[in-house]
Amino acid sequence: MEYRRLGSSGLKVSELSFGSWVTFQAQLDDSKALECIRTALDHGVNFFDNAEVYAGGEAEAIMGRVFKKLGLRRVSYVVSTKFYWGLHEGANERNTLNRKYLMQAIDGSLRRFQMDYVDLVFCHRPDPHTPMEEIVRAMNDMIVQGKAIYWGTSEWSADQLMHAWQVADRYGLHKPQMEQPQYNMFFRERVEREYERLYSELGLGLTTWSPLASGLLTGKYNAGIPKGSRASLPGYEWLAERTITKERLETVRRLHDVAVDLDCSMGQLAIAWCLKNAHVSTVILGASSVAQLGENLEARRVVAKLTPDVMERINSLLGNDPHVRK
Ligand code: NDP
């Protein structure tokens, strides 16, 4: 496993990491989650992603129990959580980043994790209804209180990120160190174009999500929605509708030939393609079984095969290079 710096910070994260959205509780109970986490650790993964809202807090509780059972030194792994949607319906408990919500949210997460601190804490979405200074101070205070080590954002615009950074800079507060955007063969604009100047100017690191576009990029949906797959899960109809389009399925079918030529699976090609981007600190993998995770972790071996010619071939098949204006 290679380790990359989280932007300009000194923290090293494994270039492939493991997340818990959808899977923890719904598809992976404690013992299966433990098997997956152990597999990831055996491959050198040191970063595990989570959020308050995943399975209504249960994903944090499962991960916490697993790490307790594994009995590892706390410094040997990196854990994250994210706040915004909340767990309750109250005016100050959902869809907010106000100080009152954030300060109790971190305590709730630490209780569920049974940990003294999380390494990375994210503002899961922007909140236009809370002043930036209030958000930045609350995130800074979590770090000062020893409850988190670094803070960052998820799906914030470049302007919002720049604003947060400037507020932190003005008041000498901890700055946002990382962003968690969607990044895969279908979602490129933000990472490859919108954030471009933030890497050098702010030293921003990226922990990117959905490298397989929820599984679409494995080719598993080419012939319909398989039973038990994410798109078939009750409550995820919206995801299936949003993700699986005729145009994308055609692209996946076309890309399949590249995977065959490189002697890898379609999913491994898609993950390796994300790893090729040097601005990505870590690609967060999702998996509903140890077998999937094992296959995905082997994607590292494909990176060396992605020569400039192959990348160009993929680029023209995708037809969505953000630097090429149509
Ligand atoms: P992917 O796009 O890689 O999708 C993972 C899913 O694809 C799996 O759960 C599985 O679903 C299917 N899959 C994975 N590998 C294979 C394989 N080898 N063969 C067949 N099917 C496979 O990643 P996620 O969308 O899960 O995102 C990864 C992580 O990123 C999340 O766990 C979370 O931590 C984070 N995230 C953050 C977000 C944010 O807003 N900040 C939003 C979303 C995710 P199945 O078997 O059920 O079909």
Side-chain angles (χ1 to χ4, degrees), residues 88-131:
H88 304 282
E89 288 298 314
N92 291 308
E93 293 172 277
R94 62 192 299 265
N95 300 353
T96 184
L97 293 174
N98 74 32
R99 183 178 178 87
K100 180 173 170 65
Y101 160 71
L102 287 173
M103 298 322 285
Q104 61 78 44
I106 184 68
D107 289 340
S109 281
L110 294 180
R111 260 196 312 277
R112 287 185 293 277
F113 273 127
Q114 303 181 65
M115 291 178 189
D116 298 330
Y117 68 92
V118 289
D119 300 271
L120 311 183
V121 65
F122 294 85
C123 296
H124 211 156
R125 288 295 180 270
D127 171 14
H129 306 292
T130 299

Side-chain angles (χ1 to χ4, degrees), residues 21 27 49 154 180 210 212 214 220 230 288 292 296:
W21 180 54
Q27 297 167 304
D49 187 61
S154 180
Q180 186 166 127
S210 282
L212 298 174
S214 276
K220 72 191 297 175
R230 180 177 292 183
S288 64
Q292 286 182 359
N296 300 350

Side-chain angles (χ1 to χ4, degrees), residues 3-14 46 78 120 149-150 177 203 205 281:
Y3 298 86
R4 299 186 183 184
R5 281 174 63 196
L6 187 65
S8 60
S9 81
L11 188 74
K12 291 192 185 100
V13 283
S14 47
N46 77 347
V78 173
L120 311 183
I149 312 275
Y150 302 91
Q177 183 56 57
S281 315

